[in-house]
Amino acid sequence: MNGNSVHQLLGAYLLGGLEPGEARTFEDHLGSCADCRRELEELASLPALLDAVPAADAVALTAAGAAPLAPLAMEPEPLPEKVLVDLAVRRRKSRRRWAAFVGAVAAACLAVGFLAGPLLNQPPKPDASYSVQSDGGLQLTVDMVKKTWGTELEVEGRSMPLEGTLYLWVKGRDGAEERTCGWTATPSGRIKITGATPVQLAGIAGVELRDEAQKTVASISVP
């Protein structure tokens, strides 16, 4: 399965409509695809918004498709009761109608006065934050944010090595290790970069900053 095919699973993954094997494939893809992680984060609140839209409004908006919204006074054509049930109860199994659902949510938010944009654009608050300072003055801070696909890591450093390439590794509680991000040293010794790992926050035992020779420069243990 190529990257484009995996990307097409994003909507079904967000709605919980993937089989376990497909979900694992998509989660593995998220670890290496910044675009998919960003898009998933931007759309993370849509399922909750869909649940908040009255079933009748969602059906009317879905039936309208791409056509302009009709005045609120106009009544949509009656639809079978099964459609209402599918929208209200079985959204987790809805995969092929992903685009229609997103359109319905967006239209419903406009109709009832929701301002979803500012909410979606709020920077994530870290669920955990850890820092270390070495005797040489190096400072490393790693903020960790829980995601449905794993953990996002916001890395900030000062007085870092001025030469070479550096990497941040995550150590799992099961003993596994994974490189989450890497960067070239900066003349200022300061860096700010985002990394990601499919390991859930609860499964992280620590992080290590290593140089290109795999020598540990700094280490943080996660309780």
Side-chain angles (χ1 to χ4, degrees), residues 50-122:
L50 181 58
D51 287 339
V53 177
D57 292 345
V59 170
L61 291 165
T62 303
L69 287 174
L72 295 179
M74 296 181 63
E75 293 290 336
E77 295 182 4
L79 293 175
E81 181 68 21
K82 182 178 182 298
V83 177
L84 298 176
V85 176
D86 287 344
L87 286 172
V89 180
R90 300 180 59 195
R91 69 170 178 78
R92 291 182 61 84
K93 296 183 180 180
S94 178
R95 297 175 61 185
R96 296 181 180 178
R97 299 183 63 85
W98 163 247
F101 283 159
V102 172
V105 172
C109 288
L110 290 174
V112 299
F114 281 118
L115 297 178
L119 295 177
L120 296 175
N121 292 328
Q122 290 294 326

